[in-house]
Amino acid sequence: MSVGIVMLVHTALGRAEQVARHWAASDCPIVIHVDRSVPAKTYSAFVEALSDVPKLRFCKRHRCEWGTWGLVAASQSASRVMLDAFPEVRHVYLASGSCLPLRPVQELIDYLADRPQTDFIESATTSDVPWTIGGLDEERFTLRFPFSWRKHRYLFDRYVQFQRLIGFKRRIPNGLVPHMGSQWWCLSRQTLSAILDDPERERYDRYFKRVWIPDESYFQTLARQYSRQIESRSLTLSKFDYQGKPHIFYDDHLQLLRRSDCFVARKIWPHANRLYEAFLTDAAGAMKRSEPNPGKIDRIFAKAVERRTRGRPGLYMQSRFPVETRENGLTSAPYSVFHGFAELFENFEPWLARMTGTRVHGHLFAPDRVEFSDGQVVMNGALSDSPHLRDYNPRAFLANLIWNTRGERQCFQFGPRDNQKINWYIAKDPNAQISVISGSWAVPLFKSNMNFADIRREAARMQQIESKHLEILRSSWTKARVRIWTMAEFIESPMEPLQTIIDEIGPAQSMRGLAEAPQMADLTGFGQFLQNLKNQGMHPYLMGNFPVAQDPQHGQSTTRKPYLVR
């Protein structure tokens, strides 16, 4: 008894010839179907090249397109020739021109000889399979699909919508329970002949011709009618990505394929010379006899799929960006945003860098330039200080900065004068630690030499911008770690919030404690300044309750002396 090989070929005919000769070398009968889209001249040359192979036949050609009936018709025609021309065949193995035997063919023959009544075909009901892509599970059996999904996508979608709208539903032939599975099967002669010679075949064929992707359901469904024993698995190793597209194996997958212990693998890249040489000519490198177990490499493929769909945190890839919610973390590492601190404290940035050992930037989203730390004009990853390049995509700018400097915590200043397009992005980022002293933007105005009318106008604008920012930070959608103080309550006791901020940045910094606080700006007369704004019709409410009579010379809150931990 022998194993017959049915090959469906449509491209890379040179490789198909090489594999066919490999099958034939083990005395396996072969029937080849060549896609009708292959030019007649190319087909004739292919037939001539294999004319010296004794147990090889060609069958009637059909036009094969993904998801259409042609693939089933090709399998039927080739199987019919196989059963009629080679009566000694006990099992028929369906393969493609891109399939590659991984183990000696004799091992496959012996394996099937020990299981003469077993059919190896993946066959499961739609409710039991997790791999269907495109939202058509049961509907692929109850709607009609006369249009090609690849060539006529618009007509395909509109016709599906129309059938749903009118409530159309096809009747499944009596006695059939639709099953699905891999196209690549190995059926016993008894089961395959029962399918092809069934008196109801014409009715079954008519029904499946309008099923979507019938090559994954025709034999899988009918085998359940006749098989004595089904093992719902394929002997061919074929892996698919999250979009339902097959993985292609290249030369660097050699060891991976050997670990699978499978008899056959697809899809092999036609130019993978190393694979073809190793498995078709290297008998010494053949794998040991063992049960086929593609599960050995499933973990590797699952990890690859996860890397492709989720990626690394904070690193944007073509497969995930810019689709909302497709990110695996907006940024790759924690960072700190200080709102109002540089305005209230003098030399706040060098103080913070000295106290925490982090990289502290100025206003990264300032309108005139990106204020990188130490006045740098180019940061890691060739990030420029150009505001035009930054504002082209502020989200990508921040994500790239955090990714390019991973391993080193980044801190930067932010305020109402900066580009506000980044507000929601930072607020929704769990890696962000945001500390806000509301109303501190008024300190530079207080110290400016502008006309008071211009100061009032600018103060109203700044307050409106900051108010919208605080509304975002208090939103239920915010995932960042946010702390907000009014300016009045912060300067009453600045040491406690400063220590809290340092503690959150890192335990190594918090263990040292704060030896000193940054020097606060001189706020003598600031209360009266706020009152003057009120008198001019502008109500500066974001600073909190800031008394007009508060004298910086009689209160700890505005002294210029350093704060000491006691």
Side-chain angles (χ1 to χ4, degrees):
M1 297 299 177
S2 183
V3 177
I5 308 299
V6 168
M7 293 181 61
L8 305 183
V9 179
H10 72 283
T11 187
L13 302 188
R15 287 300 190 191
E17 177 189 350
Q18 185 180 358
V19 174
R21 291 185 178 278
H22 182 77
W23 290 115
S26 296
D27 202 34
C28 288
I30 304 166
V31 177
I32 299 179
H33 173 275
V34 180
D35 196 326
R36 202 167 68 187
S37 61
V38 174
K41 185 177 180 179
T42 305
Y43 172 71
S44 298
F46 181 58
V47 173
E48 178 65 24
L50 288 170
S51 60
D52 60 320
V53 179
K55 293 185 177 181
L56 187 146
R57 303 286 188 274
F58 287 85
C59 69
K60 177 184 175 182
R61 300 172 67 190
H62 301 267
R63 189 173 300 279
C64 299
E65 183 183 341
W66 182 88
T68 63
W69 174 254
L71 288 167
V72 177
S75 303
Q76 289 176 329
S77 296
S79 298
R80 182 79 274 168
V81 173
M82 177 66 70
L83 296 179
D84 293 345
F86 304 103
E88 74 276 13
V89 166
R90 174 173 285 176
H91 276 91
V92 177
Y93 196 110
L94 181 65
S96 73
S98 62
C99 286
L100 178 66
L102 302 182
R103 294 165 62 172
V105 178
Q106 188 59 46
E107 289 189 11
L108 173 63
I109 296 173
D110 295 342
Y111 184 85
L112 294 175
D114 293 338
R115 300 159 179 82
Q117 304 298 327
T118 303
D119 296 295
F120 296 90
I121 181 169
E122 198 170 49
S123 176
T125 59
T126 55
S127 59
D128 295 328
V129 296
W131 61 77
T132 53
I133 303 296
L136 295 173
D137 294 330
E138 293 184 6
E139 284 184 322
R140 66 180 64 201
F141 298 108
T142 59
L143 302 181
R144 290 172 56 88
F145 300 92
F147 302 107
S148 167
W149 183 79
R150 285 188 171 175
K151 291 185 177 179
H152 307 290
R153 181 75 62 86
Y154 179 82
L155 293 176
F156 182 97
D157 291 342
R158 297 292 84 77
Y159 194 56
V160 167
Q161 290 179 358
F162 172 73
Q163 293 177 89
R164 289 171 174 170
L165 182 64
I166 65 174
F168 175 78
K169 209 169 186 180
R170 297 181 70 194
R171 191 168 72 87
I172 300 174
N174 291 336
L176 287 189
V177 178
H179 284 68
M180 297 174 57
S182 170
Q183 174 189 358
W184 312 107
W185 41 256
C186 178
L187 295 178
S188 65
R189 184 184 191 91
Q190 291 80 4
T191 299
L192 184 57
S193 60
I195 292 174
L196 297 180
D197 298 332
D198 192 303
E200 297 291 327
R201 175 180 163 183
E202 184 178 348
R203 186 162 65 99
Y204 294 155
D205 288 2
R206 188 166 55 249
Y207 167 76
F208 277 99
K209 281 180 180 179
R210 291 295 178 259
V211 167
W212 192 43
I213 320 181
D215 55 286
E216 294 183 356
S217 58
Y218 179 83
F219 290 97
Q220 293 74 7
T221 299
L222 296 180
R224 291 287 177 180
Q225 300 287 100
Y226 311 107
S227 178
R228 298 181 182 179
Q229 181 178 350
I230 284 183
E231 284 207 20
S232 185
R233 61 188 176 101
S234 174
L235 296 179
T236 300
L237 173 66
S238 56
K239 294 294 182 180
F240 297 86
D241 64 13
Y242 75 104
Q243 292 178 322
K245 297 178 181 179
H247 283 289
I248 298 177
F249 293 102
Y250 299 93
D251 281 339
D252 52 355
H253 292 122
L254 175 59
Q255 298 304 322
L256 184 73
L257 292 175
R258 280 179 170 160
R259 287 173 55 188
S260 71
D261 293 331
C262 291
F263 290 111
V264 180
R266 74 173 305 270
K267 244 182 163 178
I268 308 298
W269 186 47
H271 304 289
N273 298 325
R274 187 182 177 196
L275 293 184
Y276 282 95
E277 291 173 2
F279 291 112
L280 298 186
T281 62
D282 184 12
M287 296 179 294
K288 63 183 183 298
R289 288 175 176 263
S290 58
E291 186 73 18
N293 186 14
K296 287 184 177 181
I297 61 175
D298 280 348
R299 180 182 58 83
I300 298 174
F301 280 91
K303 188 174 182 180
V305 170
E306 182 181 11
R307 175 59 60 87
R308 182 179 178 186
T309 55
R310 287 182 54 78
R312 286 172 282 182
L315 180 62
Y316 290 82
M317 299 160 48
Q318 183 273 339
S319 60
R320 300 183 293 117
F321 184 76
V323 181
E324 192 74 18
T325 72
R326 190 71 70 82
E327 318 96 347
N328 180 9
L330 300 179
T331 53
S332 62
Y335 59 96
S336 299
V337 183
F338 294 89
H339 183 121
F341 285 76
E343 289 75 15
L344 183 59
F345 294 103
E346 296 179 358
N347 299 317
F348 175 75
E349 295 158 21
W351 172 85
L352 183 63
R354 186 173 63 253
M355 291 301 302
T356 63
T358 59
R359 185 185 292 269
V360 182
H361 306 278
H363 287 258
L364 290 181
F365 296 91
D368 52 343
R369 65 176 293 267
V370 181
E371 299 176 0
F372 289 127
S373 63
D374 303 322
Q376 298 179 77
V377 296
V378 178
M379 273 292 293
N380 301 32
L383 289 177
S384 168
D385 68 344
S386 166
H388 305 292
L389 294 177
R390 174 202 64 198
D391 293 342
Y392 178 77
N393 192 333
R395 297 187 304 167
F397 169 83
L398 180 58
N400 286 335
L401 175 66
I402 304 302
W403 173 262
N404 296 337
T405 57
R406 57 193 183 280
E408 179 186 43
R409 184 160 184 137
Q410 305 297 301
C411 305
F412 63 90
Q413 318 304 312
F414 194 78
R417 292 181 177 84
D418 296 334
N419 186 339
Q420 301 296 304
K421 292 182 179 179
I422 198 68
N423 284 351
W424 267 115
Y425 183 81
I426 297 177
K428 293 190 295 184
D429 187 3
N431 280 327
Q433 173 196 327
I434 307 174
S435 303
V436 180
I437 305 176
S438 66
S440 295
W441 47 264
V443 176
L445 291 178
F446 166 63
K447 293 181 174 296
S448 71
N449 197 30
M450 298 167 55
N451 295 329
F452 199 80
D454 296 333
I455 290 177
R456 189 190 72 82
R457 189 181 308 108
E458 181 67 6
R461 188 177 75 87
M462 292 289 102
Q463 183 163 256
Q464 184 180 23
I465 293 174
E466 186 173 75
S467 178
K468 292 180 179 179
H469 185 202
L470 294 178
E471 184 178 338
I472 291 173
L473 296 181
R474 293 182 174 118
S475 167
S476 60
W477 298 101
T478 295
K479 297 181 180 179
R481 180 75 170 91
V482 179
R483 293 183 180 274
I484 301 174
W485 301 270
T486 64
M487 183 176 167
E489 67 182 2
F490 189 91
I491 63 178
E492 285 183 1
S493 179
M495 290 303 296
E496 182 178 350
L498 284 175
Q499 184 67 63
T500 300
I501 294 170
I502 299 301
D503 290 345
E504 287 183 346
I505 289 179
Q509 288 78 23
S510 64
M511 289 178 63
R512 296 202 302 258
L514 289 182
E516 60 177 329
Q519 186 170 288
M520 191 177 292
D522 185 0
L523 299 180
T524 304
F526 185 73
Q528 184 60 52
F529 168 75
L530 297 181
Q531 183 60 46
N532 291 341
L533 288 176
K534 293 180 182 179
N535 296 340
Q536 293 293 326
M538 187 266 171
H539 180 58
Y541 61 89
L542 291 180
M543 296 77 179
N545 186 16
F546 210 105
V548 176
Q550 187 167 357
D551 188 343
Q553 295 181 358
H554 297 85
Q556 186 187 20
S557 61
T558 55
T559 181
R560 293 176 58 86
K561 295 181 180 179
Y563 290 89
L564 302 179
V565 178
R566 301 186 183 278

